[in-house]
Amino acid sequence: MPLDVQLRMVPPLEMAADVLVVGVVHAGGKAPSLPAGLRPIDAALGGAVAKVVAKEEFVGKRDQAISLSTLGRIPAEKVIILGLGDRHTLQSGGLRTFAAKAARAANGEKATSLALALPAGLEGELRAIGEGLELGAYRFTSYLTGDRKPKTQLKTVVVGVTAKPKATARAALALGQKVGVAINLSRDLSNEPPNVIYPEAFAAAAEKVVKEHGGLRIQVFDFKEIRRRGMKLIDAVARGSSRDPRFVHISWTPKNAKRKLVFVGKGVTFDSGGLSIKPAAGMGEMKHDMSGAANVVALMAAVAAVKPKAEVHAIAPCVENMPDGNAYRPGDIWGSLDGKTVEIINTDAEGRLILADALTYARALSPDIIVDNATLTGACVVALGATCSGWYANDERAAREFAKALEDSGEQMWRMPLLDDLREQIKSDVADVKQTGDRYGGSITAALFLREFAGDGSWVHCDIAGPAAIDRPNGWIQSKGATGHGVLTFLAMIERAAR
């Protein structure tokens, strides 16, 4: 259930809640001094705040935090003070993280109510606050019972501002919540075990999203239709599993749309590696290999909330990659929807195969830009770490568009090069293209393989990081497999396109 969030013009000292979180902007000095906004609280607590500020050398830098009990001297039971960093660098992403940390801290304190005090001048960022509150409050507890089941959870939040809110303020806060709830949907899908979310079940979950959000439409192709359409690479990966694949296409098509954008997400609901089987250690995390597909479904729920004047399509090829007597093999040569033939080198590099057919399908929609996202390579995590995703673009127009959206969202990604000299690694002696290259440059050669199927139009590929950031950029918690990472950027692209 979404949080019950209220907006009030009220000073922090008067905010009643289990936990009061106060945001403090860095004043620029190195020596700790008590910010003006904390002085009434300090006075009520007999100077305790000033003592802790001095002891911890708190100056409001980003990631600084102090907390203290109020002993019943003010309406809040506990006060947490979070540094926001310099005001001139504070953007939506930083405030989203602030709100997410506040909600997460409240859950950590077993609080049911939270008061969030915004510094003056930040009332225009209420959408980011709403997003962050829902993201930070997220917990996946569906399978906890008895003593393991949390006894409390955050339910109500009061956002306190120092100036009278504008007429649009509450709507902005509510919209942020809807976007946050949509992203949490992707995390729910990814956190579900693979015996619950498999291709058919994922498609059913996508149909439920469409039913619950007005303005969306959906098509789902079963295995027979996938084969009839010539999606041979999806066929290859899927045939080793007893669970048949599905191909999901969700669309938002408003009248007088200014541009058309297509988002493609990898939907491997469980990846054993196929015949090139993975080591047992860590295989249980491979339920998260459908994070890209979960992201694009969540994106469409957010699109339905924002209602942009842009046409948007989400494509999710969904398979299980399993070993079986009928499974595809290293050494096989398979056709594709594009017509190119592909030599299979390693059956554990399955994601690029299903994305290849999905990209070909996406091209047929004649979009202005295609963006795909996938937990595609461990090589990208080796290169950039666990909190930063890599992205590639086939032209500078697409790169500029994606970079601006990244700036809007505050998400952490780094542009990677499409080095054409590495293309030699995916040349095959017996087919049009080889599925994988050598050991080094694995994220780049995977992107080069996808480029073979992306066509001549604008295209961006996101190789999303392994576990998503815990504190940065969006205060994720319990969202392994990078679930949700990228959705805010994709939504920013759509909103820019609709202007």
Side-chain angles (χ1 to χ4, degrees):
M1 290 290 292
L3 297 168
D4 177 9
V5 181
Q6 303 169 27
L7 181 64
R8 296 180 187 170
M9 187 177 69
V10 58
L13 187 61
E14 299 177 14
M15 299 176 77
D18 295 332
V19 174
L20 166 64
V21 176
V22 182
V24 174
V25 176
H26 183 215
K30 293 184 179 180
S33 61
L34 192 65
L38 296 178
R39 289 171 190 167
I41 299 175
D42 182 60
L45 299 184
V49 177
K51 290 179 182 178
V52 176
V53 165
K55 181 180 178 180
E56 300 296 332
E57 298 182 348
F58 180 90
V59 292
K61 290 183 179 179
R62 184 172 179 175
D63 296 332
Q64 281 192 307
I66 57 176
S67 64
L68 62 165
S69 175
T70 68
L71 301 177
R73 295 179 182 179
I74 66 174
E77 294 179 9
K78 187 164 189 176
V79 174
I80 298 174
I81 303 168
L82 297 180
L84 297 175
D86 297 333
R87 185 180 289 274
H88 69 275
T89 61
L90 184 59
Q91 298 178 328
S92 296
L95 285 168
R96 186 185 303 115
T97 299
F98 160 64
K101 286 182 177 180
R104 191 176 66 176
N107 267 332
E109 294 291 336
K110 299 181 179 179
T112 60
S113 60
L114 166 68
L116 188 69
L118 278 186
L122 298 176
E123 296 83 4
E125 299 290 351
L126 288 170
R127 174 172 163 182
I129 294 296
E131 292 168 354
L133 287 171
E134 292 292 348
L135 293 172
Y138 177 80
R139 292 191 291 183
F140 186 74
T141 61
S142 299
Y143 298 96
L144 299 179
T145 64
D147 291 341
R148 293 297 314 283
K149 192 172 184 66
K151 304 301 184 293
T152 61
Q153 64 179 25
L154 182 61
K155 295 180 179 179
T156 63
V157 182
V158 174
V159 178
V161 292
T162 58
K164 184 178 180 180
K166 294 182 179 179
T168 57
R170 286 180 174 80
L173 187 61
L175 179 58
Q177 281 191 263
K178 290 179 181 179
V179 172
V181 168
I183 295 174
N184 285 342
L185 167 66
S186 74
R187 299 155 97 180
D188 278 341
L189 288 170
S190 185
N191 280 324
E192 288 285 357
N195 61 308
V196 173
I197 292 294
Y198 44 89
E200 184 179 2
F202 183 94
E207 289 175 327
K208 183 180 178 183
V209 169
V210 170
K211 185 177 180 179
E212 292 175 349
H213 296 78
L216 299 176
R217 293 182 297 172
I218 188 169
Q219 288 179 286
V220 176
F221 303 156
D222 61 14
F223 205 176
K224 182 178 179 181
E225 182 65 12
I226 287 168
R227 283 172 163 161
R228 190 191 72 78
R229 287 174 174 264
M231 297 178 177
K232 297 177 182 179
L233 293 175
I234 295 176
D235 181 353
V237 177
R239 60 177 42 232
S241 174
S242 61
R243 306 280 196 184
D244 283 351
R246 292 293 185 272
F247 189 92
V248 177
H249 177 187
I250 306 174
S251 55
W252 168 266
T253 55
K255 293 181 180 179
N256 303 317
K258 295 184 177 181
R259 295 185 70 210
K260 184 189 294 186
L261 302 89
V262 178
F263 297 87
V264 180
K266 169 187 169 185
V268 180
T269 59
F270 186 76
D271 182 17
S272 70
L275 293 178
S276 305
I277 197 162
K278 292 178 179 290
M283 193 187 289
E285 298 298 319
M286 290 301 103
K287 67 178 184 177
H288 298 298
D289 211 18
M290 39 66 74
S291 293
N295 284 352
V296 299
V297 171
L299 173 66
M300 297 308 287
V303 164
V306 173
K307 296 179 171 54
K309 285 291 184 181
E311 186 172 332
V312 186
H313 297 263
I315 310 297
C318 299
V319 300
E320 274 191 343
N321 186 27
M322 299 289 285
D324 179 79
N326 196 39
Y328 77 127
R329 298 155 291 226
D332 279 359
I333 297 175
W334 285 83
S336 64
L337 182 60
D338 176 88
K340 292 185 178 73
T341 56
V342 179
E343 179 187 5
I344 305 303
I345 305 300
N346 184 335
T347 65
D348 194 23
E350 81 298 326
R352 66 198 69 186
L353 298 177
I354 66 171
L355 285 174
D357 276 349
L359 287 169
T360 303
Y361 178 90
R363 276 164 39 198
L365 299 173
S366 302
D368 294 294
I369 189 168
I370 299 173
V371 180
D372 75 71
N373 76 124
T375 47
L376 201 63
T377 69
C380 193
V381 183
V382 171
L384 298 177
T387 64
C388 182
S389 297
W391 64 279
Y392 300 81
N394 66 342
D395 63 46
E396 290 308 307
R397 175 178 168 274
R400 286 192 299 271
E401 186 172 348
F402 193 77
K404 288 178 181 177
L406 268 175
E407 186 177 346
D408 289 346
S409 73
E411 292 189 300
Q412 188 163 265
M413 300 191 194
W414 190 263
R415 188 178 181 185
M416 300 282 282
L418 280 168
L419 300 176
D420 276 310
D421 56 337
L422 294 188
R423 189 171 179 271
E424 290 294 319
Q425 294 187 20
I426 59 170
K427 285 186 176 179
S428 171
D429 294 333
V430 292
D432 294 329
V433 66
K434 202 163 53 169
Q435 171 208 29
T436 66
D438 298 337
R439 176 183 178 186
Y440 299 106
S443 179
I444 296 172
T445 53
L448 289 169
F449 177 86
L450 292 179
R451 190 178 67 175
E452 296 288 323
F453 300 88
D456 298 326
S458 293
W459 162 73
V460 172
H461 162 58
C462 299
D463 196 344
I464 55 181
I470 296 301
D471 287 322
R472 259 192 212 102
N474 297 307
W476 302 140
I477 184 170
Q478 289 194 358
S479 56
K480 294 179 181 178
T483 313
H485 194 211
V487 177
L488 290 165
T489 299
F490 305 155
L491 187 60
M493 287 185 73
I494 294 165
E495 292 185 89
R496 278 182 167 271
R499 292 174 188 169

